[in-house]
Amino acid sequence: MRLYSSLSRQIEEVKPLDGQTVKIYSCGPTVYRYIHIGNFRSFMLGDLIRRILRFEGQDSRLVMNITDVGHMTDDLRDTGLDKMELAQSDEGLSAMQIAEKYTEAFLKDGDAVGIGRADLYPRATEHIPEMIEITKRLVEKGHAYVVDGTVYFEVRTFPDYGKLSGNTLEALQAGHRQDVEVDPNKRSREDFGLWKKAGAHRVLKWPSPWGDGFPGWHIECSAMSMKHLGERFDVHTGGNDNKFPHHEDEIAQSEAAVGHSVVSVWVHGGFLRLSGQKIAKSAKNVVLVPEIVERGLDPLAFRLVCFGTRYRSEMDFSWEAFEAANTRLTGLRQRMADWSESPAVATRGEMAEDLDRRFRDAVADDMDMPAALVVLNEAVSSPAVGPAEKYRLLSSWDGVLGLDLERLARERYEAPPEVLELIRRRDEARAARDFGTADRIRDQLGAMGLEVMDTPAGTRVRPRL
Ligand SMILES: [Zn+2]
């Protein structure tokens, strides 16, 4: 597949550096409140890339961090308050309880909108030694300096600073000049904190060579991405709002520490707007996943809403569009249920081949989901493609779309007790990681004319077409 790289500003082929596994790092949530659907539009990217790679037969590994310390309310200055600590004082829970509560909610809401779980969710608080290590290295190499227990990255020592966001040092300095508060300890206004001295009332703090303190937000992603994916990896995703300062600073820290470029392709997703405004807590227009369910809508329809617009573009959200997508999704599932009862055909027609090729081209072309939906619509209505072929096409494409298109087709088949018993035993075997037994039971079910599918809810079967 090909992706637009925000850094090179070009379309680039995604090829695993190690020749085997595409390594993807996605900037994850700061877990001090519920995550809204605008964020979920960005969080979808890593999983969508992985789905497309899998569709192409390419292995990948997806790592998404959980920020449970160090994300300040004002990232441009170092005088902000830590978001975790603020939530703690608001809710009467400890910072750890806050992190637990909102991590769980994030994972559950992500499941609901069909975002496959990452292979790993490293927590910032579990990687403090790695962050200290990089910070030490930056000090030793002359890229960082210490003033009164706080370590700053010295931006002027990294001439490439600004290459991602396009911010030149001059523009940055001019922008910062308007700031009212300036940290007098900084050599230059654009320098940013790697490690911050803990104030008297600070609860989340750790010992370090510079005294008790806590890490900056950006250093967390440098430390965790390189620890879990290596000092060179393939894809890094995030929202457009992560470009500056978060990713610009991550690039400066990581590259200055290791002395070479780390990420091959940077991918950034556009904002979701509601009534013309970016969805954000500050705009008071936040929509949460449970609200979708409360309105009687299927959260997976959110995917269909998102796929109507290229991921890099800003997109308007409306409940009208959501309802239309919901109706469309139910319609697709009903058709799938109808088609599932058609007798199988041995070979695929020319038209079906052509549609499949076009769908693959669309998703491989920088995740052109609107184009993929056009192909899907053609497949649904084409008289030249038989019902069994349509079923097969859509069920294969659903690996990328994640719309659970076979839901009604599955429900239409009522498994007899002996099949249910086999399913139960197979799920048990899989839970015990006894894949030999699981495979044998799958073969047994296959011999009974059933197709066996592994879903997040366990083994599902339906009559083979
Ligand atoms: Zn990040």
PDB file of all heavy atoms in Angstrom, residues 242-267:
ATOM      1  N   ASN A 242      -1.459  16.739  16.392  1.00  0.00           N
ATOM      2  CA  ASN A 242      -0.231  16.217  17.006  1.00  0.00           C
ATOM      3  C   ASN A 242       1.039  16.705  16.296  1.00  0.00           C
ATOM      4  O   ASN A 242       2.138  16.584  16.824  1.00  0.00           O
ATOM      5  CB  ASN A 242      -0.192  14.681  16.964  1.00  0.00           C
ATOM      6  CG  ASN A 242      -1.217  14.035  17.881  1.00  0.00           C
ATOM      7  OD1 ASN A 242      -1.753  12.991  17.565  1.00  0.00           O
ATOM      8  ND2 ASN A 242      -1.506  14.663  19.008  1.00  0.00           N
ATOM      9  N   LYS A 243       0.874  17.246  15.071  1.00  0.00           N
ATOM     10  CA  LYS A 243       2.052  17.608  14.268  1.00  0.00           C
ATOM     11  C   LYS A 243       2.974  18.560  15.022  1.00  0.00           C
ATOM     12  O   LYS A 243       4.177  18.365  15.066  1.00  0.00           O
ATOM     13  CB  LYS A 243       1.593  18.305  12.984  1.00  0.00           C
ATOM     14  CG  LYS A 243       1.562  17.386  11.780  1.00  0.00           C
ATOM     15  CD  LYS A 243       1.330  18.220  10.531  1.00  0.00           C
ATOM     16  CE  LYS A 243       0.722  17.360   9.451  1.00  0.00           C
ATOM     17  NZ  LYS A 243       0.183  18.181   8.360  1.00  0.00           N
ATOM     18  N   PHE A 244       2.381  19.607  15.560  1.00  0.00           N
ATOM     19  CA  PHE A 244       3.154  20.569  16.317  1.00  0.00           C
ATOM     20  C   PHE A 244       2.427  20.902  17.614  1.00  0.00           C
ATOM     21  O   PHE A 244       1.238  21.143  17.581  1.00  0.00           O
ATOM     22  CB  PHE A 244       3.388  21.856  15.507  1.00  0.00           C
ATOM     23  CG  PHE A 244       4.299  22.802  16.225  1.00  0.00           C
ATOM     24  CD1 PHE A 244       5.669  22.665  16.123  1.00  0.00           C
ATOM     25  CD2 PHE A 244       3.781  23.794  17.047  1.00  0.00           C
ATOM     26  CE1 PHE A 244       6.515  23.503  16.824  1.00  0.00           C
ATOM     27  CE2 PHE A 244       4.625  24.639  17.750  1.00  0.00           C
ATOM     28  CZ  PHE A 244       5.995  24.502  17.644  1.00  0.00           C
ATOM     29  N   PRO A 245       3.107  20.876  18.746  1.00  0.00           N
ATOM     30  CA  PRO A 245       4.549  20.590  18.867  1.00  0.00           C
ATOM     31  C   PRO A 245       4.884  19.102  19.053  1.00  0.00           C
ATOM     32  O   PRO A 245       6.051  18.744  18.953  1.00  0.00           O
ATOM     33  CB  PRO A 245       4.905  21.341  20.153  1.00  0.00           C
ATOM     34  CG  PRO A 245       3.661  21.260  20.987  1.00  0.00           C
ATOM     35  CD  PRO A 245       2.503  21.313  20.013  1.00  0.00           C
ATOM     36  N   HIS A 246       3.867  18.254  19.296  1.00  0.00           N
ATOM     37  CA  HIS A 246       4.160  16.897  19.773  1.00  0.00           C
ATOM     38  C   HIS A 246       5.103  16.118  18.843  1.00  0.00           C
ATOM     39  O   HIS A 246       6.139  15.620  19.271  1.00  0.00           O
ATOM     40  CB  HIS A 246       2.845  16.148  19.995  1.00  0.00           C
ATOM     41  CG  HIS A 246       3.009  14.801  20.606  1.00  0.00           C
ATOM     42  ND1 HIS A 246       3.727  14.581  21.753  1.00  0.00           N
ATOM     43  CD2 HIS A 246       2.566  13.569  20.214  1.00  0.00           C
ATOM     44  CE1 HIS A 246       3.700  13.287  22.051  1.00  0.00           C
ATOM     45  NE2 HIS A 246       3.015  12.651  21.122  1.00  0.00           N
ATOM     46  N   HIS A 247       4.754  16.005  17.579  1.00  0.00           N
ATOM     47  CA  HIS A 247       5.581  15.185  16.691  1.00  0.00           C
ATOM     48  C   HIS A 247       6.866  15.890  16.259  1.00  0.00           C
ATOM     49  O   HIS A 247       7.890  15.248  16.036  1.00  0.00           O
ATOM     50  CB  HIS A 247       4.769  14.736  15.472  1.00  0.00           C
ATOM     51  CG  HIS A 247       3.736  13.716  15.827  1.00  0.00           C
ATOM     52  ND1 HIS A 247       2.660  13.426  15.029  1.00  0.00           N
ATOM     53  CD2 HIS A 247       3.610  12.930  16.934  1.00  0.00           C
ATOM     54  CE1 HIS A 247       1.918  12.489  15.617  1.00  0.00           C
ATOM     55  NE2 HIS A 247       2.468  12.184  16.773  1.00  0.00           N
ATOM     56  N   GLU A 248       6.790  17.202  16.127  1.00  0.00           N
ATOM     57  CA  GLU A 248       8.009  17.959  15.803  1.00  0.00           C
ATOM     58  C   GLU A 248       9.049  17.732  16.900  1.00  0.00           C
ATOM     59  O   GLU A 248      10.232  17.500  16.616  1.00  0.00           O
ATOM     60  CB  GLU A 248       7.652  19.453  15.710  1.00  0.00           C
ATOM     61  CG  GLU A 248       8.728  20.277  15.051  1.00  0.00           C
ATOM     62  CD  GLU A 248       8.832  19.993  13.555  1.00  0.00           C
ATOM     63  OE1 GLU A 248       7.882  20.311  12.832  1.00  0.00           O
ATOM     64  OE2 GLU A 248       9.856  19.451  13.130  1.00  0.00           O
ATOM     65  N   ASP A 249       8.595  17.755  18.151  1.00  0.00           N
ATOM     66  CA  ASP A 249       9.502  17.566  19.282  1.00  0.00           C
ATOM     67  C   ASP A 249       9.969  16.114  19.374  1.00  0.00           C
ATOM     68  O   ASP A 249      11.118  15.842  19.720  1.00  0.00           O
ATOM     69  CB  ASP A 249       8.817  18.000  20.593  1.00  0.00           C
ATOM     70  CG  ASP A 249       8.613  19.514  20.648  1.00  0.00           C
ATOM     71  OD1 ASP A 249       9.091  20.201  19.721  1.00  0.00           O
ATOM     72  OD2 ASP A 249       7.968  20.003  21.591  1.00  0.00           O
ATOM     73  N   GLU A 250       9.059  15.188  19.057  1.00  0.00           N
ATOM     74  CA  GLU A 250       9.447  13.771  19.072  1.00  0.00           C
ATOM     75  C   GLU A 250      10.572  13.521  18.060  1.00  0.00           C
ATOM     76  O   GLU A 250      11.557  12.833  18.361  1.00  0.00           O
ATOM     77  CB  GLU A 250       8.246  12.878  18.751  1.00  0.00           C
ATOM     78  CG  GLU A 250       8.594  11.393  18.815  1.00  0.00           C
ATOM     79  CD  GLU A 250       7.432  10.482  18.419  1.00  0.00           C
ATOM     80  OE1 GLU A 250       6.272  10.838  18.637  1.00  0.00           O
ATOM     81  OE2 GLU A 250       7.721   9.390  17.877  1.00  0.00           O
ATOM     82  N   ILE A 251      10.430  14.084  16.866  1.00  0.00           N
ATOM     83  CA  ILE A 251      11.460  13.918  15.828  1.00  0.00           C
ATOM     84  C   ILE A 251      12.793  14.474  16.331  1.00  0.00           C
ATOM     85  O   ILE A 251      13.841  13.826  16.218  1.00  0.00           O
ATOM     86  CB  ILE A 251      11.030  14.626  14.523  1.00  0.00           C
ATOM     87  CG1 ILE A 251       9.877  13.858  13.868  1.00  0.00           C
ATOM     88  CG2 ILE A 251      12.209  14.752  13.555  1.00  0.00           C
ATOM     89  CD1 ILE A 251       9.286  14.552  12.648  1.00  0.00           C
ATOM     90  N   ALA A 252      12.749  15.682  16.898  1.00  0.00           N
ATOM     91  CA  ALA A 252      13.984  16.321  17.380  1.00  0.00           C
ATOM     92  C   ALA A 252      14.660  15.448  18.444  1.00  0.00           C
ATOM     93  O   ALA A 252      15.866  15.171  18.366  1.00  0.00           O
ATOM     94  CB  ALA A 252      13.670  17.709  17.938  1.00  0.00           C
ATOM     95  N   GLN A 253      13.873  14.976  19.416  1.00  0.00           N
ATOM     96  CA  GLN A 253      14.439  14.176  20.513  1.00  0.00           C
ATOM     97  C   GLN A 253      15.016  12.864  20.004  1.00  0.00           C
ATOM     98  O   GLN A 253      16.148  12.494  20.309  1.00  0.00           O
ATOM     99  CB  GLN A 253      13.340  13.807  21.506  1.00  0.00           C
ATOM    100  CG  GLN A 253      12.723  14.957  22.214  1.00  0.00           C
ATOM    101  CD  GLN A 253      11.347  14.623  22.780  1.00  0.00           C
ATOM    102  OE1 GLN A 253      10.820  15.380  23.547  1.00  0.00           O
ATOM    103  NE2 GLN A 253      10.761  13.506  22.395  1.00  0.00           N
ATOM    104  N   SER A 254      14.190  12.124  19.217  1.00  0.00           N
ATOM    105  CA  SER A 254      14.602  10.792  18.783  1.00  0.00           C
ATOM    106  C   SER A 254      15.810  10.875  17.861  1.00  0.00           C
ATOM    107  O   SER A 254      16.785  10.148  18.036  1.00  0.00           O
ATOM    108  CB  SER A 254      13.459  10.082  18.043  1.00  0.00           C
ATOM    109  OG  SER A 254      12.346   9.929  18.884  1.00  0.00           O
ATOM    110  N   GLU A 255      15.747  11.761  16.865  1.00  0.00           N
ATOM    111  CA  GLU A 255      16.819  11.822  15.872  1.00  0.00           C
ATOM    112  C   GLU A 255      18.106  12.374  16.486  1.00  0.00           C
ATOM    113  O   GLU A 255      19.197  11.916  16.150  1.00  0.00           O
ATOM    114  CB  GLU A 255      16.370  12.631  14.648  1.00  0.00           C
ATOM    115  CG  GLU A 255      15.191  11.951  13.953  1.00  0.00           C
ATOM    116  CD  GLU A 255      14.855  12.528  12.586  1.00  0.00           C
ATOM    117  OE1 GLU A 255      15.546  13.457  12.130  1.00  0.00           O
ATOM    118  OE2 GLU A 255      13.896  12.019  11.969  1.00  0.00           O
ATOM    119  N   ALA A 256      17.972  13.335  17.386  1.00  0.00           N
ATOM    120  CA  ALA A 256      19.176  13.862  18.041  1.00  0.00           C
ATOM    121  C   ALA A 256      19.799  12.786  18.928  1.00  0.00           C
ATOM    122  O   ALA A 256      21.015  12.684  19.041  1.00  0.00           O
ATOM    123  CB  ALA A 256      18.832  15.101  18.862  1.00  0.00           C
ATOM    124  N   ALA A 257      18.958  11.940  19.530  1.00  0.00           N
ATOM    125  CA  ALA A 257      19.486  10.906  20.426  1.00  0.00           C
ATOM    126  C   ALA A 257      20.190   9.795  19.659  1.00  0.00           C
ATOM    127  O   ALA A 257      21.263   9.347  20.062  1.00  0.00           O
ATOM    128  CB  ALA A 257      18.364  10.332  21.286  1.00  0.00           C
ATOM    129  N   VAL A 258      19.589   9.334  18.553  1.00  0.00           N
ATOM    130  CA  VAL A 258      20.177   8.177  17.858  1.00  0.00           C
ATOM    131  C   VAL A 258      21.039   8.579  16.663  1.00  0.00           C
ATOM    132  O   VAL A 258      21.776   7.762  16.126  1.00  0.00           O
ATOM    133  CB  VAL A 258      19.106   7.139  17.420  1.00  0.00           C
ATOM    134  CG1 VAL A 258      18.349   6.618  18.629  1.00  0.00           C
ATOM    135  CG2 VAL A 258      18.159   7.720  16.382  1.00  0.00           C
ATOM    136  N   GLY A 259      20.914   9.825  16.202  1.00  0.00           N
ATOM    137  CA  GLY A 259      21.775  10.307  15.131  1.00  0.00           C
ATOM    138  C   GLY A 259      21.338   9.934  13.720  1.00  0.00           C
ATOM    139  O   GLY A 259      22.115  10.023  12.777  1.00  0.00           O
ATOM    140  N   HIS A 260      20.088   9.502  13.584  1.00  0.00           N
ATOM    141  CA  HIS A 260      19.577   9.238  12.227  1.00  0.00           C
ATOM    142  C   HIS A 260      18.057   9.334  12.256  1.00  0.00           C
ATOM    143  O   HIS A 260      17.462   9.417  13.343  1.00  0.00           O
ATOM    144  CB  HIS A 260      20.017   7.858  11.725  1.00  0.00           C
ATOM    145  CG  HIS A 260      19.639   6.720  12.640  1.00  0.00           C
ATOM    146  ND1 HIS A 260      18.350   6.260  12.786  1.00  0.00           N
ATOM    147  CD2 HIS A 260      20.396   5.971  13.496  1.00  0.00           C
ATOM    148  CE1 HIS A 260      18.334   5.268  13.662  1.00  0.00           C
ATOM    149  NE2 HIS A 260      19.553   5.076  14.113  1.00  0.00           N
ATOM    150  N   SER A 261      17.431   9.274  11.073  1.00  0.00           N
ATOM    151  CA  SER A 261      15.975   9.369  11.058  1.00  0.00           C
ATOM    152  C   SER A 261      15.394   8.059  11.599  1.00  0.00           C
ATOM    153  O   SER A 261      16.003   6.996  11.490  1.00  0.00           O
ATOM    154  CB  SER A 261      15.468   9.698   9.657  1.00  0.00           C
ATOM    155  OG  SER A 261      15.249   8.522   8.930  1.00  0.00           O
ATOM    156  N   VAL A 262      14.226   8.143  12.223  1.00  0.00           N
ATOM    157  CA  VAL A 262      13.649   6.996  12.916  1.00  0.00           C
ATOM    158  C   VAL A 262      12.408   6.472  12.200  1.00  0.00           C
ATOM    159  O   VAL A 262      12.243   5.275  12.005  1.00  0.00           O
ATOM    160  CB  VAL A 262      13.309   7.387  14.387  1.00  0.00           C
ATOM    161  CG1 VAL A 262      12.587   6.242  15.096  1.00  0.00           C
ATOM    162  CG2 VAL A 262      14.581   7.763  15.148  1.00  0.00           C
ATOM    163  N   VAL A 263      11.537   7.382  11.779  1.00  0.00           N
ATOM    164  CA  VAL A 263      10.250   6.992  11.203  1.00  0.00           C
ATOM    165  C   VAL A 263      10.285   7.166   9.685  1.00  0.00           C
ATOM    166  O   VAL A 263      10.720   8.207   9.191  1.00  0.00           O
ATOM    167  CB  VAL A 263       9.123   7.874  11.797  1.00  0.00           C
ATOM    168  CG1 VAL A 263       7.789   7.567  11.125  1.00  0.00           C
ATOM    169  CG2 VAL A 263       9.035   7.685  13.302  1.00  0.00           C
ATOM    170  N   SER A 264       9.833   6.156   8.934  1.00  0.00           N
ATOM    171  CA  SER A 264       9.836   6.273   7.471  1.00  0.00           C
ATOM    172  C   SER A 264       8.667   7.129   6.975  1.00  0.00           C
ATOM    173  O   SER A 264       8.847   8.002   6.148  1.00  0.00           O
ATOM    174  CB  SER A 264       9.746   4.897   6.815  1.00  0.00           C
ATOM    175  OG  SER A 264      10.837   4.099   7.217  1.00  0.00           O
ATOM    176  N   VAL A 265       7.464   6.837   7.447  1.00  0.00           N
ATOM    177  CA  VAL A 265       6.287   7.553   6.938  1.00  0.00           C
ATOM    178  C   VAL A 265       5.464   8.119   8.101  1.00  0.00           C
ATOM    179  O   VAL A 265       5.058   7.372   8.994  1.00  0.00           O
ATOM    180  CB  VAL A 265       5.375   6.614   6.101  1.00  0.00           C
ATOM    181  CG1 VAL A 265       4.208   7.394   5.506  1.00  0.00           C
ATOM    182  CG2 VAL A 265       6.163   5.932   4.987  1.00  0.00           C
ATOM    183  N   TRP A 266       5.228   9.420   8.075  1.00  0.00           N
ATOM    184  CA  TRP A 266       4.372  10.068   9.076  1.00  0.00           C
ATOM    185  C   TRP A 266       2.989  10.260   8.481  1.00  0.00           C
ATOM    186  O   TRP A 266       2.846  10.850   7.406  1.00  0.00           O
ATOM    187  CB  TRP A 266       4.943  11.429   9.466  1.00  0.00           C
ATOM    188  CG  TRP A 266       6.105  11.340  10.417  1.00  0.00           C
ATOM    189  CD1 TRP A 266       7.424  11.227  10.086  1.00  0.00           C
ATOM    190  CD2 TRP A 266       6.054  11.352  11.854  1.00  0.00           C
ATOM    191  NE1 TRP A 266       8.193  11.170  11.229  1.00  0.00           N
ATOM    192  CE2 TRP A 266       7.381  11.248  12.330  1.00  0.00           C
ATOM    193  CE3 TRP A 266       5.008  11.446  12.773  1.00  0.00           C
ATOM    194  CZ2 TRP A 266       7.689  11.233  13.686  1.00  0.00           C
ATOM    195  CZ3 TRP A 266       5.318  11.438  14.127  1.00  0.00           C
ATOM    196  CH2 TRP A 266       6.645  11.327  14.573  1.00  0.00           C
ATOM    197  N   VAL A 267       1.963   9.761   9.183  1.00  0.00           N
ATOM    198  CA  VAL A 267       0.592   9.851   8.682  1.00  0.00           C
ATOM    199  C   VAL A 267      -0.242  10.680   9.662  1.00  0.00           C
ATOM    200  O   VAL A 267      -0.226  10.416  10.866  1.00  0.00           O
ATOM    201  CB  VAL A 267      -0.017   8.435   8.554  1.00  0.00           C
ATOM    202  CG1 VAL A 267      -1.475   8.505   8.136  1.00  0.00           C
ATOM    203  CG2 VAL A 267       0.782   7.593   7.568  1.00  0.00           C
TER     204      VAL A 267
END
